[in-house]
Amino acid sequence: MKTIKYIINSIFIGVFTIFIFNFIGQFVNLKLPFSIFSICLIGFFRLPGFIVLLIFLVI
């Protein structure tokens, strides 16, 4: 039961983070894609996953 709760919580955090970043990023012309890969990367690895996605976005 803890594992399922952790997975659902991680997915929610990933979706919420991408949504907030895209809302703020529209003013500076940055946008992260809504995909299973990006949601899982941000959800499970949190800040390091977000930084990796930003690096790939800039490159």
Side-chain angles (χ1 to χ4, degrees), residues 3-15 43-44 46:
T3 305
I4 295 171
K5 189 175 179 181
Y6 177 76
I7 291 171
I8 291 172
N9 192 20
S10 295
I11 291 172
F12 177 74
I13 289 171
V15 169
F44 290 115
R46 310 256 196 268

Side-chain angles (χ1 to χ4, degrees), residues 6-7 17 23 27 41 49 54:
Y6 177 76
I7 291 171
T17 304
F23 181 74
F27 300 112
L41 190 67
L54 286 179

Side-chain angles (χ1 to χ4, degrees), residues 11-39:
I11 291 172
F12 177 74
I13 289 171
V15 169
F16 184 73
T17 304
I18 292 174
F19 177 75
I20 294 297
F21 179 79
N22 286 342
F23 181 74
I24 295 171
Q26 70 184 352
F27 300 112
V28 292
N29 201 18
L30 290 175
K31 183 180 177 189
L32 286 176
F34 272 106
S35 68
I36 298 296
F37 175 73
S38 61
I39 290 170

